[in-house]
């Protein structure tokens, strides 16, 4: 297995993370939404101060790539002028909140209240986060979060610790959320500054009063038109600044989602903008690929160009995880087909994760399309 560097913190805008292609600068959209003007400003900043590439993270944040030490201060000034920068690193790092893109006025008010409460939380691990999933039925259950705000089948709000099937009824969201975060700390959820709610729950600890089931979750939505707007997918959760500029020109509020998709509020037609995927049958949507080489310094091989080349050869209905190393950042769990870059080429893993024992080792990129068509056949 390849060794990799485990980072215990998440990048922000004020504290970017060095990567193979410069500083990764992560913008956390306030209340999970962007005005067209903010989106346009982000696109301009990505071109002026980065390499023009924008990632959509699994926590519904936007990351500008290729920022330099020299360009970072000007980037912060430009984004700050549009209300996209927190007052300091501490405030920014506390704002780990994913808000459902399908929301009503009540959810927006709850997002406001929870955002304000985040500044009064006890000191939580950097990756500890909240999900405000208060549509009629949860849609964020697969997104990373430690404390989830959901609705029961009768519509009442509940606070559910991640890893436990039931939640506690909410009396006052801010007070109750802080109390559950306190409970996490008091019950030993943090070790050496790290810890996640699901791990604590798995050790048998459960907060009092968690006896209400959430409404039945909905499956992850697909690209296309929805009741209040359009979901537009990005291959590997990445776009060029030009795509965001074109999208902002349509004049709609943009809500980043944790599904590698942007929700365009109020859109009644699907925009034809290069870089946006509107067809749910597009095979590229069945491939998960991490950043890979050269942008990730830990990568042992290229991933995304290869993924685009492999997409037309992927058998119908088949999903593929393509990883630049055994860390498997893009898909930590098992996948029916995983291709992991290694020191000797690409390894094929069946029904496993990127770090599991391969069935085939050291494959050349050009051999992969044939292997994917018949992964159980003898080596070529
Ligand atoms: S899995 Fe991909 S993004 Fe993660 S460290 Fe390895 S190469 Fe980099």
């Amino acid at each position: 297995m390849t060794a990799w560097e485990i980072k215990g913190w998440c990048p922000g805008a004020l504290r970017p993370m060095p990567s193979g292609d410069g500083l990764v600068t992560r913008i956390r959209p306030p209340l999970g939404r962007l005005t067209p003007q903010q989106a346009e400003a982000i696109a301009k900043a990505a071109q002026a101060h980065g390499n023009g590439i924008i990632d959509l993270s699994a926590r519904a944040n936007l990351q500008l790539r290729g920022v330099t030490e020299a360009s970072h201060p000007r980037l912060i000034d430009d984004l700050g002028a549009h209300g996209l920068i927190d007052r300091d690193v501490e405030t920014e790092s506390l704002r780990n909140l994913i808000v459902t893109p399908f929301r009503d006025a009540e959810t927006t008010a709850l997002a406001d209240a929870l955002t304000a409460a985040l500044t009064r939380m006890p000191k939580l691990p950097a990756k500890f986060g909240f999900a405000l999933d208060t549509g009629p039925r949860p849609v964020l259950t697969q997104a990373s979060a430690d404390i989830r705000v959901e609705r029961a089948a009768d519509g009442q709000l509940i606070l559910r610790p991640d890893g436990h099937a039931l939640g506690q009824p909410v009396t006052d969201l801010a007070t109750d959320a802080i109390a559950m975060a306190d409970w996490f700390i008091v019950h030993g959820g943090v070790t050496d500054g790290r810890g996640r709610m699901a791990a604590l729950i798995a050790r048998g600890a459960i907060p009092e009063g968690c006896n209400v089931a959430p409404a039945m979750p909905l499956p992850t939505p697909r690209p296309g038109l929805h009741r209040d707007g359009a979901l537009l997918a990005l291959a590997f959760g990445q776009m060029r600044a030009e795509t965001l500029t074109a999208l902002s020109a349509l004049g709609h509020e943009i809500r980043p989602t944790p599904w590698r998709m942007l929700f365009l509020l109020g859109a009644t037609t699907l925009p034809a903008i290069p870089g946006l995927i509107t067809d749910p049958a597009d095979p590229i949507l069945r491939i998960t690929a991490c950043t890979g080489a050269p942008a990730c310094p830990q990568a042992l091989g290229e991933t995304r160009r290869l993924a685009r080349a492999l997409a037309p050869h992927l058998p119908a209905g088949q999903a593929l995880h393509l990883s630049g190393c055994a860390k498997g950042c893009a898909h930590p769990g098992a996948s029916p087909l995983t291709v992991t870059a290694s020191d000797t080429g690409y390894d094929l893993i069946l029904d496993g994760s990127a770090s599991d024992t391969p069935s085939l080792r050291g494959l050349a990129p050009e051999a992969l399309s044939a292997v994917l068509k018949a992964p159980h056949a003898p080596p070529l």
Side-chain angles (χ1 to χ4, degrees), residues 228-248:
D228 296 327
L231 270 176
L232 311 165
L234 309 173
F236 322 121
Q238 193 169 79
M239 63 184 153
R240 299 232 23 118
E242 293 83 348
T243 299
L244 188 57
T245 301
L247 201 52
S248 66

Side-chain angles (χ1 to χ4, degrees), residues 129-322:
F130 297 77
L132 188 60
D133 197 4
T134 50
R137 288 168 60 185
V139 289
L140 299 177
T141 47
Q142 301 302 313
S144 177
D146 295 85
I147 296 179
R148 300 175 183 279
V149 191
E150 297 168 339
R151 287 189 192 279
D154 65 1
Q156 73 170 310
L157 285 180
I158 61 169
L159 208 55
R160 185 169 68 83
D162 189 47
H164 190 54
L166 307 176
Q168 58 183 217
V170 170
T171 307
D172 175 80
L173 179 59
T175 307
D176 296 348
I178 292 170
M180 191 173 280
D182 281 334
W183 175 91
F184 173 77
I185 304 280
V186 168
H187 285 77
V190 185
T191 307
D192 295 332
R194 297 178 185 203
R196 299 300 301 266
M197 181 67 85
L200 178 60
I201 295 287
R203 298 204 295 272
I206 296 175
E208 261 181 49
C210 284
N211 51 24
V212 181
M216 183 71 77
L218 290 167
T220 300
R222 309 287 293 154
L225 286 177
H226 291 256
R227 201 187 67 180
D228 296 327
L231 270 176
L232 311 165
L234 309 173
F236 322 121
Q238 193 169 79
M239 63 184 153
R240 299 232 23 118
E242 293 83 348
T243 299
L244 188 57
T245 301
L247 201 52
S248 66
L250 299 179
H252 296 276
E253 178 176 309
I254 297 171
R255 297 175 178 174
T257 80
W259 313 307
R260 313 295 194 205
M261 290 189 266
L262 298 167
F263 185 62
L264 202 57
L265 181 68
T268 53
T269 56
L270 293 172
I273 295 175
L276 296 177
I277 301 169
T278 55
D279 177 5
D282 192 320
I284 204 83
L285 297 177
R286 288 186 275 117
I287 304 183
T288 307
C290 72
T291 304
C296 174
Q298 297 171 67
L300 297 170
E302 202 280 330
T303 51
R304 289 183 174 167
R305 214 174 44 237
L306 181 58
R308 287 183 191 279
L310 292 175
H313 305 285
L314 199 58
Q318 186 68 270
L320 169 67
H321 173 204
L322 186 48

